[in-house]
Amino acid sequence: MGYVSGLRGISSGQGYSSDVPMNLDPVDGRPVEMVLDLERLARERADGAWYDPSRRDMWRFGGLMALDITDPADAAHIVPLGEGCTPLLDYADHPVARAAGLALSVKDEGRPHAGFGANPTQSFKDRGMAMVVAQARRLGLSRLAVPTQGNAGDSLVRYGIAGGLSVVVAMPPDTPSPILGNVAAAAHMHPGQVVLELAGPTIREAGALLKAQYLEHGWFSVATFQEPGWRIEGKKSLGLELAEPAPGDTRWSLPDAVVYPTGGGTGVLGMWKAWDELEALGLIDARRPRMLCVQSSAMAPLVRAFDEGREDTTAASGPGTIAFGLNVPAGVGHFRVLQIVRASGGACVAVEEGDIAAEFSRVWQQTHGWIGPEGAACLAALPQLIERGLVKAGERVVVVNTGSAEKYLPAIRDLMP
Amino acid sequence: MGYVSGLRGISSGQGYSSDVPMNLDPVDGRPVEMVLDLERLARERADGAWYDPSRRDMWRFGGLMALDITDPADAAHIVPLGEGCTPLLDYADHPVARAAGLALSVKDEGRPHAGFGANPTQSFKDRGMAMVVAQARRLGLSRLAVPTQGNAGDSLVRYGIAGGLSVVVAMPPDTPSPILGNVAAAAHMHPGQVVLELAGPTIREAGALLKAQYLEHGWFSVATFQEPGWRIEGKKSLGLELAEPAPGDTRWSLPDAVVYPTGGGTGVLGMWKAWDELEALGLIDARRPRMLCVQSSAMAPLVRAFDEGREDTTAASGPGTIAFGLNVPAGVGHFRVLQIVRASGGACVAVEEGDIAAEFSRVWQQTHGWIGPEGAACLAALPQLIERGLVKAGERVVVVNTGSAEKYLPAIRDLMP
């Protein structure tokens, strides 16, 4: 059954069974993560066969995933829909990158689905939700609930239907209509199995509705970090993909810097965990990319805490950003994001809304590549990152574009002239 | 109270009061239309003041609209949201137009809303629904129902909310998610006032649901032609706009040909009525544009009836087209479309799905102008129209693009590389 040996409180270090559903660590109310027995993995799979690069989805990291698709017992829980294995686009021609001599690329999580090599609902949330649904099936959980501002709900619905689970998605009524429409249509096509609850104005009210009407009646919350480390394990595949050998090569390696649009931060925790595990396996050394977490000045709890040297965020307020995924005023995983950023020699930086919009429009005009506003926020941060010496000439810099602009229409229509 | 003198059966000629709600003509089950007292209009507004070109919506045709916004009693019923007054784009550079020497332009009904000069829900349906809601308010009807494959429902919801009416929209669950999401969000934001019913797989089942659960309980159907000529009166403004004088000019004139993507045909009836009324006012002569109705070979009831010389369509079957608005297998107004097309010296022509897709992709690549697949179908028909002598070098040809590609995402995503 794969190499998971248990759960561990991220902050407390307290161990728990991974076979019993739980939410936050009862010791300190902080998230838990899954622990893999890497020594056993190294011992049993010394031939390196835990990794199958010919498989074109995130499950090709077989034994290093929290469920090993090469193990028939694990594979029975997994519902592969093509998630992961997303393209790394060459952005060396980006004007700022060219002027500064950066080897810039964009990891594009928002590509339209084409079977494999793209996320089925066009966002990085699919990595997490694919793992969530697989783990829920492993534990016999049949009813999952998530509050969301969009993509996470669309993703959970897709995997829930495919995996035969019931899901309830609570979202604000001003969620962009393509996402809302996907979930509403699924709710109609799968009555009883998929439930859409609209509650607002923010995700906070959506969460309160779930708590009152569902969680107390046996539905399991898979809100960010409420599930026991599952979404981290899914997002981990993003870090593994950034490290894996180029075709024909055998050396695992990391970029010099990762520019990441950070909301709740699951992806930061996932990537960091991936690299720690690769180091434990002896595949990379102790060096890490500088983690450069980008937020909007319209919602910047991490940036404020980072600049003030604090260990955790306090709830931010702000008008909110067109980079919808960054509208996260607080998060139980933020303390860990701050630890990671500092350990990496990185930073949390804020970009102005006007700069996000301008960069988004510019990229749209030049590429029509449907890059999302979160990815655009990262590109808009480049001048600041260069000026502050956080990325330098000759360095390999990866921007993560977490989703497609397509999902946010018509809310961002005016930026797509 | 404007210049409407009553209703008239389009085929029977039977007169009815326009102050009593009705559906189809009880004489023959065919549509009715509104009749304007143009002699009185000419007499009372001999100064031409019935028309206010400085007003940037369809209501600038004041006295020639079925409700006259310059009359305070009528104006109280109208809920103007900027509908109509859409741009006529120069398409002389289109490769087929250039090669054939056509003065081609595209009347773009799908432009993003910008207050005025665009339809608020990005489709020509807004012209009809703006009139529907105004007329319903005039008659004190408070509950409207429509079965739809998409845009008509989005539009009715927008005007219904603005006008304080209750609306129920029934649509198939595979309606493109931006439209479904708009309506679902509105239903949540306005509980009781906006109701979304999903029924499918086709609009037929949606209509049956409305009939069984709503129409028999006092809701008024504003399905195409079920309302008493109101949508024709709204769409009439499209014909008036094609005829109105250029800025600085005073002469009304018509193009040589209008290429129109035809589903139910309300727009054809509306444009034709507009021109008849302009002729009655002495503003144009008896010449008319050739009406060139475009359908997909995947759903072509009008083309079949036209080619076979029949007076009406019979229900077509077919796989359906990506030009969603053309998925209309039969229509009570089709007999009149055929009359108009023949009277104009025009034709009904079918284009292949592959040609629609290719033209849509080509236009998208070149302009990124969000033209809809219905508009693309018309452009794809040009080679055939030229070959058949239906449009000729030097002629002024207008293609009507009835809506935005944006509303159909992600269903047409693969065509937008």
Side-chain angles (χ1 to χ4, degrees), chain A residues 31-54:
Chain A
V32 298
E33 64 183 0
M34 303 192 98
V35 181
L36 270 68
D37 185 345
L38 297 171
E39 290 183 12
R40 185 164 69 84
L41 172 64
R43 191 168 65 240
E44 293 180 1
R45 312 285 283 274
D47 57 356
W50 58 268
Y51 167 56
D52 174 11
S54 72

Side-chain angles (χ1 to χ4, degrees), chain B residues 258-387:
Chain B
V258 172
V259 190
Y260 190 83
T262 312
T266 325
V268 175
L269 273 67
M271 286 188 283
W272 200 254
K273 188 168 189 286
W275 302 330
D276 281 351
E277 291 175 356
L278 290 176
E279 185 184 356
L281 291 173
L283 294 170
I284 60 172
D285 60 26
R287 289 173 301 169
R288 294 288 180 275
R290 285 186 291 285
M291 296 301 283
L292 302 166
C293 290
V294 175
Q295 299 198 305
S296 162
S297 58
M299 185 64 75
L302 283 165
V303 179
R304 199 173 57 184
F306 180 81
D307 287 346
E308 295 174 359
R310 283 188 283 107
E311 291 185 357
D312 203 354
T313 58
T314 50
S317 59
T321 165
I322 54 158
F324 293 102
L326 304 184
N327 282 321
V328 181
V332 289
H334 278 172
F335 80 96
R336 182 64 185 144
V337 173
L338 289 163
Q339 289 175 351
I340 289 169
V341 167
R342 287 170 177 139
S344 76
C348 299
V349 302
V351 286
E352 298 297 321
E353 279 297 287
D355 292 338
I356 297 174
E359 180 66 14
F360 178 82
S361 293
R362 202 194 59 74
V363 173
W364 173 253
Q365 289 274 19
Q366 290 205 348
T367 72
H368 291 95
W370 302 91
I371 194 173
E374 295 87 357
C378 291
L379 294 171
L382 288 175
Q384 179 183 165
L385 296 174
I386 293 165
E387 190 183 318

Side-chain angles (χ1 to χ4, degrees), chain A residues 177 188 198 368 370 406 413, chain B residues 188 198 368 370 406 413:
Chain A
S177 57
H188 175 79
L198 292 171
H368 290 96
W370 302 90
E406 205 171 319
R413 178 61 188 83
Chain B
H188 175 78
L198 292 171
H368 291 95
W370 302 91
E406 205 171 318
R413 179 62 188 82

